[in-house]
Amino acid sequence: DAPRITKPPPLVVEQFRLSLADRPMLQGGFIQSALPALDAARMSETVKTLSSNKNRYYRSSHGVAAANWIADQFRTIGAGRSDVSVELFKHSFEQPSVIATIEGKGPHKNEIVVIGGHEDSINQSAFGSREMPAPGADDNASGVASVPEVYRVLVQTGFKNDRTLMSMTYAGEEVGLLGSQDIANRFRQQKKAVVAVMQLDMTAFPGAGNRVDFMTEFVSADLTRFSQKLMDTYVKTPWATDRCGYACSDHASWTKAGYPSVMPFEATMSTDNKDIHTTRDLISKLDFNHASSFLRLGLSFMAELSSEGGARI
Ligand code: BES
Ligand code: ZN
């Protein structure tokens, strides 16, 4: 017998990808009513707590404690909801990643929309040190604090998502995107249909003024285009584009695993926060009005991409 060659069916994500750039806006009613519930002050409290830890290094007890604290925040928000869950995703090093899931309902519930940011921090003057101070307020308490705040509004408004929504905080980004790489590769192996991923890494230092800059490398051009439409429709903050020039954050892990990602960033590379990875990456340098644009973008992203139409509340 000739060997039988069966072509694997395309992943759902492949079909979805084609329509990303041209998707219409479907959830204006829900999003306009939910945007005022986003609370930048609550987010800044999270940044304060996270950046008061000695560090969030991926191999330190402080880094593990920070991940557990974030998981507890998600658990508190989701208490009483049977369709939400919180998982610690274990790696080969001490710090786990955290994944909070809001189950979808109906024919699209196996498709996944992700928002995430890295929870770890590093002091570059002491690479490999478990005890060196690394407050990491901008990099990346700012991005990671946005994730539970968007989650809180999605949960507390009772938003009804068709697709499954995952809120992730990644371990070990600062030493080579380790946590996100493990997760994206595992999802790929399991053939999980992740249709869109937003990466939030540094959102509160307005180096180029009140403006969001979209990274153009290691991302999906279509998902980036769609996210820029979200800016114009809901966020109403000016935007531009820039490039890291290398695989600078967790969006690249998803892209390398074959999933569409987007990375909105706080500034241009040339105007950006020069104090990251030092003891000077402090909350005092941050602007939570600037950060609130990313909260609005994150909420719009989760609501629009999780839906295929119909009223949501
Ligand atoms: N948040 C940074 C990436 C970044 C820095 C983006 C400045 C834009 C401007 C991230 O946490 C980081 O430090 N990434 C590493 C790369 C990683 C593969 C170790 C970096 O940039 O050195
Ligand atoms: Zn960093």
Side-chain angles (χ1 to χ4, degrees), residues 5 19 25 28 54 67 80 82 86 88 106 109 128 133 148 160 177 187 199 210 218 223 229 240 284 290 297 299 309:
I5 298 164
S19 59
M25 296 297 161
K54 187 170 213 179
S82 59
V86 181
L88 292 177
K109 69 177 189 179
K160 295 203 174 22
L177 319 180
F187 277 35
Q199 171 68 4
N210 184 25
F218 300 97
L223 187 59
K229 288 183 191 170
S284 51
H290 188 54
L297 178 60
L299 181 68

Side-chain angles (χ1 to χ4, degrees), residues 118 139 173-177 201-202 215 244 246-249 263 265 269 272 276-277:
H118 71 88
D139 186 12
E173 187 270 353
E174 298 285 12
V175 292
L177 319 180
D201 186 359
M202 302 171 63
M215 293 303 186
C244 270
Y246 58 99
C248 64
S249 189
M263 184 181 169
F265 185 67
M269 292 302 282
D272 141 56
I276 64 168
H277 305 166

Side-chain angles (χ1 to χ4, degrees), residues 87-298:
E87 177 199 349
L88 292 177
F89 189 108
K90 300 273 168 50
H91 305 287
S92 62
F93 46 87
E94 287 85 341
Q95 185 180 49
S97 296
V98 183
I99 303 179
T101 301
I102 312 175
E103 294 295 334
K105 282 166 205 72
H108 294 282
K109 69 177 189 179
N110 291 328
E111 298 164 23
I112 300 166
V113 181
V114 175
I115 189 167
H118 71 88
E119 67 199 19
D120 65 315
S121 71
I122 197 165
N123 183 320
Q124 72 191 3
S125 72
F127 194 84
S129 165
R130 291 174 156 92
E131 294 303 328
M132 279 293 280
D138 191 18
D139 186 12
N140 180 34
S142 66
V144 86
S146 311
V147 177
E149 180 54 14
V150 168
Y151 178 79
R152 185 186 68 80
V153 171
L154 289 168
V155 168
Q156 292 182 354
T157 53
F159 178 69
K160 295 203 174 22
N161 41 301
D162 298 327
R163 298 195 169 84
T164 290
L165 298 179
M166 291 192 176
S167 300
M168 302 193 178
T169 71
Y170 308 110
E173 187 270 353
E174 298 285 12
V175 292
L177 319 180
L178 299 183
S180 58
Q181 192 175 283
D182 276 357
I183 295 173
N185 289 344
R186 172 95 54 91
F187 277 35
R188 183 78 203 177
Q189 257 168 26
Q190 297 175 336
K191 302 223 180 319
K192 286 202 201 291
V194 178
V195 300
V197 178
M198 177 168 280
Q199 171 68 4
L200 296 177
D201 186 359
M202 302 171 63
T203 68
F205 179 76
N210 184 25
R211 195 178 89 188
V212 171
D213 280 76
F214 286 89
M215 293 303 186
T216 56
E217 294 172 338
F218 300 97
V219 296
S220 154
D222 286 348
L223 187 59
T224 298
R225 182 75 205 107
F226 178 76
S227 303
Q228 291 162 351
K229 288 183 191 170
L230 293 174
M231 294 296 299
D232 298 338
T233 308
Y234 301 118
V235 183
K236 313 244 191 236
T237 299
W239 56 266
T241 60
D242 202 358
R243 49 198 288 274
C244 270
Y246 58 99
C248 64
S249 189
D250 302 299
H251 59 296
S253 297
W254 290 101
T255 301
K256 286 176 183 170
Y259 295 117
S261 71
V262 57
M263 184 181 169
F265 185 67
E266 64 190 10
T268 57
M269 292 302 282
S270 59
T271 60
D272 141 56
N273 190 340
K274 303 298 180 248
D275 287 331
I276 64 168
H277 305 166
T278 75
T279 55
R280 298 181 304 280
D281 184 2
L282 298 169
I283 194 169
S284 51
K285 290 195 67 176
L286 303 187
D287 174 346
F288 288 92
N289 178 51
H290 188 54
S292 69
S293 292
F294 296 81
L295 292 176
R296 297 202 294 282
L297 178 60

